[in-house]
């Protein structure tokens, strides 16, 4: 390889650790930028997939780990990538990706530089390693895409040993294999999508190719829209650029005061830096900001309240710490909040909540909130941290989502405290359970009461289909309004009103008394008012209440009790 | 109700699903979970995990009824170098989902025991 790279050729024929770093960085950004698209490739037409986010976070963890050591040997650099991916793997797709990286790293272990043929071989070894870790490999997934891309890469490397030729051949073969996944798995065919993991892997290869072609991440900076699912990716992207720039101070503090305004603080602080995060209530705000001038941020804080727990880190120096927080900012809020309305109570409650509105509601009911839910599956560690941050020895956990249940149970098992997980599947169930707590009773009675309260609640969720699909006999077209009852898709229609009424009729609504509407983050006032009007007119016997849930993806979540 | 079978319906007429059937269904799902390289005997043999072939999966997938729930204890061998917590979580989610779909609304709890790791290449 050294011999190759030493030849005076115009085309790039050798790649060292430093060059690989550039390639992987661009590939990661490309994946991160497209994460929302990958998330949308959910077999279910409900926009709550997380493959893109999971793969992005895994790649980010890999890259951060590799950047930390700045290895110049390509083999060493790849080994750090693989290690980072292993430690940071999230979700099934993340585990597969980490295994691909492990195979890749293993293949070029001892090398200082690699040739195009080495690269192709490494892609092939990556695929082989990925296949080894599953007893019954399912074709039509990321495994297939990785294998087909690698096979073509090997052929290409023999034809013409140039990196760009190898990668562009791999990308086009991968793209064809990806399109084919639709025909390989019935679930994908029915939903009319390609495999999400395969698409994610293809974005990584494409990103790598773009780097060779001189197209860097600047190309897509305008792409990120600040809506719903893109927000997390955009935030990660912001962090990424920052890590690359490597300047400024990561500044964190709490502001304690009276009638603090989260909104005002955010507006003011936004001028001082980026990666800004302001969360809390009117008595306590937690602030996180990357700024060149921490002094000004703190001066502002002291002007509106008392400053607590100040932490300022030089981001260059503290890169390691920063790595530990690769998570999108929403996930960072788990840090134990020292002042908590629930502290004086005999039992602690941890609630996983999606949307600022729901989070605020849970907090006001005394719960320690772990942000998460539909797309941002919180990790075991986050829930565990929240459990440990409760001052009480007995803690009840409300997962508030079917997907979070097992994570919550795992956290419960890991904690030294007495932890009970109440298996509530939706936000309204969790709220009902929180409202039902009677702290003066025995623990068993409290749990029984909470469980009964949460079981009484029916939940309707309203969202928009992100593409055409046929599901359980329901024909769904992109843009259709979808109605779910207790997590199951029941009805699709053209407008919110008719879907909600159809579901209420089937319930039937006459058996219930109160409907609470929780509006989503992107729901307009008009939409909310017209639904409220419709419900009051149509069901005069029902009491209709309206709250802000601020949940992403779901225009409305209705609680019927 | 015969020896520990799972009763699904209290209305007139009755469905019973044997633990063996549930165990078979679970095994198919488990083996497609990424990172799982085999189902292991729940008892270690000379301190080592023993891989089971398909006729003996029931020794590594133990189905029982606890209260209202179907509890599935799963004993697996995982590929060395994967993040075990994520692999195990994936097994839990996939098995739960598949069994709940199969058994109707029954409550399913899955416990994953990683009996060993396989180091390949």
């Amino acid at each position: 390889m050294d011999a190759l790279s030493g030849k005076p050729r115009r085309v790039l024929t050798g790649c060292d650790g430093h060059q690989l770093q550039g390639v992987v960085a661009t590939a990661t950004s490309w994946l991160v930028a497209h994460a929302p698209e990958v998330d949308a490739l959910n077999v279910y037409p409900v926009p709550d997939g997380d493959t893109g986010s999971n793969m992005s976070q895994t790649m980010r963890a890999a890259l951060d780990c590799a950047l930390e050591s700045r290895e110049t040997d390509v083999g060493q650099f790849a080994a750090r990538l693989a290690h980072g991916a292993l430690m940071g793997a999230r979700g099934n797709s993340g585990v597969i990706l980490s295994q691909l990286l492990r195979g890749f790293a293993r293949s070029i272990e001892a090398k200082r530089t690699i040739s195009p043929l080495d690269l192709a071989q490494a892609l092939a070894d990556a695929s082989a390693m990925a296949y080894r870790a599953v007893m019954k490999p399912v074709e039509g997934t990321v495994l297939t895409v990785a294998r087909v891309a690698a096979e073509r890469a090997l052929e290409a490397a023999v034809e013409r040993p140039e990196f760009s030729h190898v990668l562009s051949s791999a990308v086009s073969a991968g793209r064809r294999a990806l399109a084919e996944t639709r025909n390989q798995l019935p679930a994908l065919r029915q939903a009319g999508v390609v495999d999400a993991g395969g698409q994610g892997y293809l974005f990584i290869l494409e990103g790598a190719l773009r780097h060779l072609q001189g197209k860097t991440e600047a190309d897509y900076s305008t792409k990120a829209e600040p809506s719903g699912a893109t927000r997390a990716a955009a935030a990660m992207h912001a962090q990424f650029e920052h890590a690359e720039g490597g300047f400024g101070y990561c500044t964190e503090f709490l502001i304690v005061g009276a009638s603090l305004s989260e909104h005002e603080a955010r507006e003011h602080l936004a001028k001082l830096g980026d990666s800004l995060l302001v969360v809390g209530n009117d008595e306590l705000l937690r602030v996180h900001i990357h700024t060149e001038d921490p002094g000004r941020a703190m001066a502002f804080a002291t002007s509106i309240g008392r400053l607590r727990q100040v932490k300022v880190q030089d981001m260059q120096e503290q890169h390691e710490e920063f790595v530990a927080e690769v998570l999108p900012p929403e996930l960072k809020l788990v840090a134990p909040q020292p002042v908590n309305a629930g502290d004086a109570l005999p039992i602690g409650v941890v609630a996983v909540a999606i949307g600022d509105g729901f989070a605020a509601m849970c907090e006001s009911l005394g719960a320690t909130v772990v942000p998460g839910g539909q797309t941002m599956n919180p990790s075991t560690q986050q829930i565990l941290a929240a459990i440990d941050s409760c001052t009480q020895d007995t803690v009840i956990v409300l997962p508030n989502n079917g997907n979070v249940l097992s994570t919550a149970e795992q956290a419960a098992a890991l904690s030294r405290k007495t932890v009970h997980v109440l298996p509530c599947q939706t936000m309204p169930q969790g709220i009902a359970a929180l409202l039902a707590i009677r702290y003066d009773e025995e623990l068993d009675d409290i749990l029984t009461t909470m469980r009964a309260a949460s079981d009484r609640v029916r939940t309707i969720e309203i969202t928009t289909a992100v593409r055409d699909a046929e599901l359980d006999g329901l024909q769904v077209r992109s843009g259709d309004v979808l109605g779910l009852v207790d997590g199951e898709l029941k009805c699709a229609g053209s407008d919110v009103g008719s879907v909600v009424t159809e579901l209420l009729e089937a319930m039937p609504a006459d058996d219930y008394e109160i409907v609470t509407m929780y509006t989503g983050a992107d729901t307009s006032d008009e939409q909310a008012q017209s639904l409220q009007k419709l419900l009051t007119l149509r069901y005069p016997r029902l009491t209709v209440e309206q709250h802000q849930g601020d949940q992403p993806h779901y225009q409305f979540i209705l609680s019927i009790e | 109700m015969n020896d520990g079978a799972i009763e699904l319906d209290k209305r007139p007429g009755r469905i019973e699903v044997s633990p063996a059937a549930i165990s078979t269904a679970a095994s198919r799902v488990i083996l497609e979970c990424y990172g799982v390289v085999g189902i292991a005997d729940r008892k270690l043999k000379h301190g080592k995990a023993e891989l089971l072939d398909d006729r003996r999966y029931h020794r590594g997938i133990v189905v029982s009824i606890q209260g209202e729930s179907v509890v599935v204890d799963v004993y697996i061998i995982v590929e060395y170098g994967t993040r075990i917590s994520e692999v195990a979580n994936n097994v839990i989610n996939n098995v739960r989902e598949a069994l709940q779909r199969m058994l109707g609304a029954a409550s399913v709890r899955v416990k994953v025991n990683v009996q060993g790791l396989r180091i390949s290449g």
Side-chain angles (χ1 to χ4, degrees):
Chain A
M1 301 92 249
D2 285 328
L4 260 180
S5 63
K7 277 185 193 168
R9 289 184 56 169
R10 244 188 265 146
V11 285
L12 189 63
T13 51
C15 170
D16 64 15
H18 188 71
Q19 285 159 320
L20 183 62
Q21 175 182 322
V23 172
V24 175
T26 313
T28 306
S29 325
W30 189 245
L31 172 66
V32 168
H34 289 88
E37 279 169 52
V38 180
D39 282 343
L41 293 175
N42 193 355
V43 173
Y44 212 51
V46 170
D48 65 354
D50 57 5
T51 304
S53 318
N54 284 341
M55 289 182 89
S56 298
Q57 285 176 25
T58 307
M59 271 312 273
R60 280 281 293 142
L63 183 60
D64 277 334
C65 177
L67 288 176
E68 227 173 89
S69 65
R70 301 185 182 278
E71 298 286 350
T72 50
D73 286 5
V74 72
Q76 296 293 319
F77 183 83
R80 297 295 300 167
L81 276 179
H83 180 73
L86 165 63
M87 301 309 287
R90 257 176 183 257
N92 197 39
S93 52
V95 174
I96 302 180
L97 182 55
S98 73
Q99 201 66 5
L100 282 162
L101 284 172
R102 180 160 165 254
F104 186 90
R106 178 70 62 85
S107 175
I108 59 174
E109 209 164 23
K111 298 191 196 297
R112 303 196 52 157
T113 63
I114 51 168
S115 67
L117 183 60
D118 292 333
L119 171 69
Q121 187 57 51
L123 289 175
D125 290 343
S127 149
M129 179 69 92
Y131 267 91
R132 268 208 292 267
V134 61
M135 195 143 173
K136 283 189 180 166
V138 182
E139 292 296 343
T141 63
V142 56
L143 293 174
T144 315
V145 175
R147 177 173 52 77
V148 172
E151 282 164 4
R152 178 69 193 108
L154 272 174
E155 287 169 19
V158 175
E159 284 163 21
R160 188 149 44 99
E162 284 168 23
F163 283 113
S164 56
H165 179 59
V166 170
L167 269 179
S168 64
S169 309
V171 166
S172 32
R175 201 173 283 144
R176 281 193 300 274
L178 180 67
E180 191 57 27
T181 60
R182 211 188 300 253
N183 301 324
Q184 283 169 299
L185 289 176
L188 296 177
R189 182 171 39 229
Q190 204 191 18
V193 293
V194 294
D195 178 66
Q199 176 68 73
Y201 187 62
L202 192 64
F203 277 132
I204 295 173
L205 292 180
E206 264 179 25
L209 178 62
R210 290 174 66 83
H211 184 85
L212 295 186
Q213 294 167 338
K215 299 175 190 161
T216 48
E217 55 265 43
D219 290 349
Y220 63 78
S221 53
T222 48
K223 261 197 82 142
E225 309 144 23
S227 75
T230 45
R231 238 180 264 145
M236 280 173 66
H237 176 212
Q239 287 190 353
F240 179 70
E241 296 222 306
H242 222 99
E244 285 283 280
F247 58 87
Y249 296 88
C250 171
T251 310
E252 288 181 275
F253 48 79
L254 298 175
I255 310 174
V256 183
S259 61
L260 298 170
S261 158
E262 200 181 318
H263 180 70
E264 266 175 48
R266 191 177 293 130
E267 255 184 11
H268 190 95
L269 290 166
K271 293 175 219 144
L272 303 178
D274 57 9
S275 296
L276 174 67
L277 195 70
V278 180
V279 289
N281 50 38
D282 53 1
E283 285 171 9
L284 178 77
L285 291 179
R286 174 176 288 273
V287 175
H288 168 277
I289 185 171
H290 294 167
T291 173
E292 289 278 51
D293 190 351
R296 281 179 64 193
M298 283 185 272
F300 166 74
T302 50
S303 74
I304 59 168
R306 312 274 316 163
L307 202 52
R308 291 245 184 100
Q309 298 189 4
V310 179
K311 201 165 88 179
V312 180
Q313 300 175 346
D314 182 334
M315 301 204 353
Q316 199 76 49
E317 256 179 48
Q318 293 295 336
H319 193 69
E320 204 181 311
E321 282 252 7
F322 192 47
V323 168
E325 304 188 38
V326 216
L327 313 170
E330 285 95 321
L331 293 180
K332 287 193 204 158
L333 317 188
V334 217
Q337 300 212 359
V339 185
N340 187 324
D343 279 357
L345 301 167
I347 292 172
V349 181
V350 168
V352 180
I354 187 158
D356 294 345
F358 278 119
M361 256 174 270
C362 293
E363 233 160 56
S364 69
L365 291 168
T368 303
V369 171
V370 179
Q374 292 292 6
T375 54
M376 309 308 274
N377 284 336
S379 69
T380 312
Q381 282 77 5
Q382 289 173 305
I383 296 178
L384 188 59
I387 292 173
D388 289 342
S389 80
C390 293
T391 50
Q392 298 87 347
D393 291 330
T394 306
V395 178
I396 298 174
V397 181
L398 306 173
N400 296 339
N401 183 312
N403 297 330
V404 179
L405 188 59
S406 66
T407 317
E409 277 167 354
Q410 210 172 30
L414 287 170
S415 175
R416 287 202 199 122
K417 298 185 177 184
T418 312
V419 183
H420 294 271
V421 178
L422 201 77
C424 39
Q425 309 254 355
T426 64
M427 281 311 309
Q429 288 191 337
I431 302 270
L434 267 173
L435 285 166
I437 301 188
R438 300 282 172 267
Y439 288 103
D440 48 357
E441 287 176 12
E442 292 294 314
L443 180 64
D444 282 348
D445 297 335
I446 297 178
L447 286 169
T448 316
T449 321
M450 287 175 80
R451 183 151 193 175
S454 102
D455 284 349
R456 264 198 303 277
V457 174
R458 305 288 306 270
T459 307
I460 291 182
E461 290 160 301
I462 301 295
T463 186
T464 307
V466 284
R467 60 176 149 48
D468 298 353
E470 189 199 329
L471 265 165
D472 306 330
L474 271 180
Q475 284 289 349
V476 176
R477 268 193 307 277
S478 179
D480 274 1
V481 174
L482 303 182
L484 294 83
V485 177
D486 299 331
E488 266 180 55
L489 181 63
K490 285 282 169 135
C491 159
S494 54
D495 67 296
V496 174
S498 61
V499 170
V500 171
T501 34
E502 186 175 336
L503 293 175
L504 285 175
E505 284 304 318
M507 219 156 234
D510 292 342
D511 294 357
Y512 296 84
E513 291 163 2
I514 306 169
V515 175
T516 314
M517 302 167 39
Y518 297 96
T519 53
D522 302 321
T523 312
S524 69
D525 287 348
E526 292 82 55
Q527 283 175 301
Q529 275 161 16
S530 73
L531 181 62
Q532 172 145 26
K533 210 178 216 169
L534 176 87
L535 293 177
T536 359
L537 281 176
R538 178 130 191 182
Y539 302 102
R541 288 178 48 207
L542 282 178
T543 312
V544 182
E545 287 180 15
Q546 191 187 325
H547 292 288
Q548 261 178 292
D550 293 331
Q551 67 278 4
H553 308 318
Y554 293 84
Q555 291 95 313
F556 294 101
I557 295 180
L558 272 63
S559 143
I560 295 100
E561 48 200 308
Chain B
M1 184 144 106
N2 72 30
D3 55 316
I6 286 121
E7 200 182 357
L8 282 182
D9 203 331
K10 297 196 168 64
R11 286 172 295 190
R14 171 145 121 180
I15 307 166
E16 286 177 7
V17 182
S18 80
I22 293 175
S23 152
T24 305
S27 74
R28 295 188 66 94
V29 180
I30 295 163
L31 292 176
E32 284 186 356
C33 286
Y34 193 83
V36 177
V37 293
I39 292 169
D41 200 315
R42 68 179 182 281
K43 299 219 170 65
L44 296 177
K45 206 172 190 180
H46 310 299
K48 280 178 137 179
E50 194 194 359
L51 263 181
L52 296 171
D53 59 41
D54 55 4
R55 280 162 307 158
R56 297 186 299 155
Y57 282 159
H58 61 274
R59 290 166 66 168
I61 304 171
V62 183
V63 179
S64 60
I65 307 295
Q66 288 175 18
E68 302 271 289
S69 307
V70 178
V71 179
V72 186
D73 264 284
V74 172
Y75 297 80
I76 53 172
I77 296 186
V78 169
E79 175 74 11
Y80 172 81
T82 56
R83 198 170 175 203
I84 296 172
S85 61
E86 291 294 325
V87 172
N89 256 324
N90 190 40
V91 170
I92 293 174
N93 289 334
N94 287 3
V95 171
R96 257 171 58 94
E97 200 194 304
L99 292 188
Q100 271 173 349
R101 203 168 345 121
M102 188 180 109
L103 298 174
S107 145
V108 177
R109 299 174 58 91
V110 182
K111 286 194 234 160
V112 171
N113 306 274
V114 177
Q115 291 290 85
L117 298 181
R118 187 190 69 184
I119 304 177
S120 63

